Amino acid sequence: MLTANSAGDLGHVSPARSAISAWLAAVERGGRGEVAAALTALEELVVDARRRNDPTILSFARTTAGSLLRQAGRHEVALGWDGAGLAALTGSGSITRWGPGTARWTGGEWARAAAVDAVVNLAADNLGLGRFSASARLLRRAGAILAPEPAAGAREPWQTSARGRLRLLWVSAELAMYSGDPDTALDRAARAVDLMDRRDDAGLDRHRIKTALISAAAHAAAGRIEVARSGADGCRRRAAEAGLLPLQWAAVMLGRGVGDDSAATATEQARIEAALSARGMVFVPR
């Protein structure tokens, strides 16, 4: 299995297209809840990245593993993976200067995207552990790493820029919810919805549904329970149609949190959790 050990001395090479494709395939498998298969694919990517001296793919593989662990509530374990993902970049010299609000790297835009993923993930881990100040600092760092927002009407690359911006908005909204700041949560969620409304890329169902789910949760935090309940139900149905079990589970959990305590919903939750457990997701005991 994967082990979150040190990065080693890796060179400054651009990721191979085949490696990017393999990483994206693992991400999609994880999005469908095929956790064991995704982790196996990520382990293979780690081995290949080391062989090819590719710190960017090594970082992506580790932070994706961290995301799979975090979605089951295993924030402390995920923290180690995400830290290792960042270390793959800093240890290799892909990031050549690292300080408050500043970072430089030699690995290009894919390295920037990997750095954003790692730092946003670390913010999410700290949020899940109740370390709100640390989470806020990490989100500011991620914002400093991101490329500047494009001019009005300009198209921002999805994988190397817009995707990271979206993930930053998601976690920023979640931090605001847990910090008791519903206005900021609604603002960040609305900005995420707007970002997705401006994208016409194919294959972004998972990102669209999660954005809608974050928005529903923000409405719940603001006391807009009916809006939240309707949003959660819509996300549940869309995730089920798309075969995105982890998002379906998250939508069911949000629905139950805003008052949907029907027997049918409880049965659906149990069925989804059994299916995810069979595919390798290890939930934190409730």
Side-chain angles (χ1 to χ4, degrees), residues 127 132 172-186 218 220-223:
L127 172 57
F132 296 169
S172 297
E174 290 171 332
L175 175 60
M177 292 178 220
Y178 283 98
S179 301
D181 185 357
D183 290 340
T184 297
L186 286 169

Side-chain angles (χ1 to χ4, degrees), residues 239-263:
E241 291 168 0
L244 301 171
L245 275 180
L247 278 177
Q248 186 182 353
W249 174 75
V252 167
M253 295 297 288
L254 176 59
R256 296 196 74 183
V258 292
D260 182 359
D261 56 359
S262 66

Side-chain angles (χ1 to χ4, degrees), residues 104-123:
R104 292 183 180 178
W105 48 85
T106 60
E109 291 308 298
W110 281 104
R112 181 199 294 266
V116 171
D117 267 16
V119 180
V120 169
N121 276 19
L122 287 167

Side-chain angles (χ1 to χ4, degrees), residues 226-241:
E226 289 304 319
V227 175
R229 186 179 295 127
S230 175
D233 186 58
C235 289
R236 178 189 60 77
R237 287 186 282 102
R238 291 167 62 191
E241 291 168 0

Side-chain angles (χ1 to χ4, degrees), residues 80-107:
W81 284 105
D82 294 324
L86 184 57
L89 299 168
T90 58
S92 70
S94 288
I95 298 175
T96 56
R97 188 175 71 180
W98 188 257
T102 180
R104 292 183 180 178
W105 48 85
T106 60

